[in-house]
Structure formats: structure tokens, C-alpha cells
Amino acid sequence: MVRFVARRLAAGVVLLFVISFLSYVLLSLPGTDVGRQLLGQSAPQELVDAKNHELGLDLPILTQYWNWLLAALQGDFGRSWFTSESVVRAIGNRLPVTLSLMIGVTLITALVSFAVGVWAGVRRGAVDRALQIFGVLGYALPGFLVTLVLVLVFAVQLRWFPAIGYISIDRSFTGWLSTVTLPIIALSIGSIAGTSQQVRGSVIEVMRQDYVRTLRARVSGRGEIAKPHTILRNDEKSGPFWADSAKPLGGSDLSGQGPAPDLPMGVCSSTAQSRSSTSEGVTSPTCR
């Protein structure tokens, strides 16, 4: 385990260096005169050369990257060419906005996708068809078009939310919420469309399992089958429902595969008494 983690960490460090080097090279492609861009097209060549020398852009690309890397390892990522602002400070100023959107989109996508996916997978019918249509539209519509529609309707016409700007949460919670609502909705639509489809597929797969068919023969109504003590309750070593539902959200299976999930004592005793009524080859669930 330790060796595996060490290999993963080493691979991550190497990948980080490769990405940083390629990014640095792409930003320093031949033909890009940063000094000319900063000073303008009418600036004398002497001033342009002096500016490039001041920024260290007249050095070979490998020397530039090495100097930047040594400074970055000490916590100095340099300064912006255009504003002279520290990169660390620039990232710190923009990090709250990014975290607000990232956390909001993740929560909305997880909650809505799980609820809608389970509902469509259990109920099927019109709800399932509506989810299919929403999934197609959510993938087909480009994000910028959804954003424009939301801004025009809710910000320009109805004036419920501001069209631009950001208010930090420490200044005003309601102001922060009003500034991040539209961006979070616009970013969540595509994610919900994809994740809810995967949750729906996982639910349908679970509903076709042997133990669910056994429950369906003993319990009246799908609402009873979908309760936590039936499908959502799994043994520690199993967990087909939670494992499959977590894959689109986290990308990892934390539970593994195992025997059929535990069922309530009432259902198990009833199933045991009428074992002959079940189809041949159905694996009987375990009881506690």
C-alpha cells in the first residue's frame, strides 16, 4: 500500500513538472513579443528590448523556466506582465469566487441528480421520459447560450439577480447568494443532465436484481421497495446501489462487491416460508 501511494505521488510530481514546463513553453512561443505588447506598437525598439530584458525574456527558454522553477519552489510564482500584481495575490483574490462556484455546482449536481435519477429509475413512465428529454437538451445546449438566456430573463427583464459582479460572503450573505445563483445554475445544468442519467441507470440495474424481484413479490408497491430499509440498505461488504451511484460523482468504488444486501426480518421470514413460490435460481437474501 505504501509503495503504491509512493508511486502515485511520484507520478503526480513528474506530471506536475511536465505540465508546468509545457505551459511555460507555450506562453513563450517564438514570435510573441511581450515587450511590444506591453509598450504598444509605436514604442521604440530600444524600449521594447529594455522591457524584455527587465522581464528576463531575452534569456533562453530553459534558463527562464529554471529561474522560475527555483523561485516557485520558494513560494514566489512571479508577477503579472500586464498588472505587475503578484501571482499568489491574484490567485488569492480570485479563489473565493472559484470555490463558491465549484462547491455550489457540486452540491446542486449531487442533490438534484440523485433525487431525479432515483425518482426516474423507480417510477419510470412519464418521469423517465422527461428525464431523457432533459438529458438530451442539457448535453445539446451550449453553456454560453444557457447563460445568456438566464441573464436576459432573470437579470435584465425580471431584475431578480445582478447580471455582473461578485459580493463576498463575509460582506453580505444575501448579496453573495444573488451573485452566484445564476452562474451555479448555468454550470449545473449540463452536469445534472449527465449525472442523473447515470444514477437512473444504476437504479434500474438494482431494481432488476434478484433480491428486488423477491421483495416485489412480497411487498405491494414500488414505494415500499425504494425505502432505505430495502434497496438503500446494503451490507458492509456489498453495496451495488451506493457503489454505482457514487461512480459518476466521485469516480471510485469504495465498497467492492459482495453478497446480496440484508433485508428486514419480516420480509426474510416471509420469503423463507414461501421459498417454493419464487423462481428457480434466485439467490435468497441474507437476514439479520
Side-chain angles (χ1 to χ4, degrees):
M1 182 64 182
V2 176
R3 185 177 301 176
F4 173 78
V5 173
R7 286 201 304 265
R8 288 293 185 178
L9 291 177
V13 172
V14 173
L15 182 62
L16 182 62
F17 280 112
V18 171
I19 292 176
S20 64
F21 177 73
L22 292 179
S23 302
Y24 202 96
V25 171
L26 291 177
L27 291 174
S28 305
L29 289 175
T32 304
D33 194 344
V34 179
R36 178 67 64 184
Q37 294 180 3
L38 294 176
L39 300 178
Q41 298 299 325
S42 60
Q45 187 61 37
E46 293 79 9
L47 294 180
V48 174
D49 294 338
K51 188 64 175 178
N52 288 330
H53 178 73
E54 177 186 350
L55 298 175
L57 300 177
D58 56 343
L59 299 174
I61 183 64
L62 293 179
T63 304
Q64 295 181 39
Y65 175 75
W66 179 252
N67 294 336
W68 173 85
L69 183 61
L70 292 178
L73 293 176
Q74 299 175 5
D76 182 12
F77 291 92
R79 292 183 173 274
S80 171
W81 290 339
F82 298 93
T83 63
S84 298
E85 182 183 12
S86 173
V87 173
V88 175
R89 180 176 298 178
I91 295 176
N93 293 336
R94 293 160 178 79
L95 190 60
V97 183
T98 303
L99 290 178
S100 298
L101 296 179
M102 181 185 69
I103 295 175
V105 170
T106 303
L107 291 177
I108 295 298
T109 300
L111 295 176
V112 177
S113 299
F114 185 82
V116 174
V118 171
W119 189 21
V122 173
R123 295 298 179 183
R124 309 298 294 273
V127 177
D128 191 21
R129 289 192 293 270
L131 179 61
Q132 297 296 318
I133 296 174
F134 172 75
V136 173
L137 293 178
Y139 270 116
L141 293 177
F144 70 89
L145 181 60
V146 176
T147 304
L148 288 177
V149 172
L150 292 176
V151 170
L152 288 176
V153 174
F154 296 101
V156 176
Q157 296 183 1
L158 299 178
R159 299 183 182 276
W160 290 356
F161 304 98
I164 58 175
Y166 175 78
I167 299 177
S168 60
I169 191 173
D170 55 348
R171 290 178 52 190
S172 172
F173 177 78
T174 57
W176 168 82
L177 189 62
S178 65
T179 55
V180 301
T181 298
L182 290 183
I184 288 177
I185 294 176
L187 294 172
S188 299
I189 290 178
S191 300
I192 293 174
T195 307
S196 60
Q197 294 286 341
Q198 300 182 44
V199 175
R200 167 191 170 273
S202 298
V203 173
I204 293 176
E205 182 180 354
V206 171
M207 295 292 289
R208 294 172 178 171
Q209 297 296 319
D210 295 339
Y211 67 89
V212 178
R213 289 200 297 267
T214 304
L215 277 176
R216 192 172 294 159
R218 298 290 90 198
V219 181
S220 61
R222 293 190 178 185
E224 294 293 330
I225 298 176
K227 284 184 177 180
H229 67 273
T230 54
I231 289 182
L232 301 184
R233 179 182 176 184
N234 291 283
D235 187 76
E236 292 83 355
K237 296 182 180 180
S238 63
F241 181 82
W242 290 111
D244 291 341
S245 299
K247 285 178 183 178
L249 300 179
S252 59
D253 188 341
L254 301 180
S255 59
Q257 296 297 330
D262 296 339
L263 301 179
M265 288 299 299
V267 176
C268 287
S269 59
S270 177
T271 304
Q273 294 174 4
S274 59
R275 183 183 302 272
S276 59
S277 63
T278 58
S279 58
E280 196 171 355
V282 174
T283 303
S284 206
T286 58
C287 305
R288 285 184 180 177

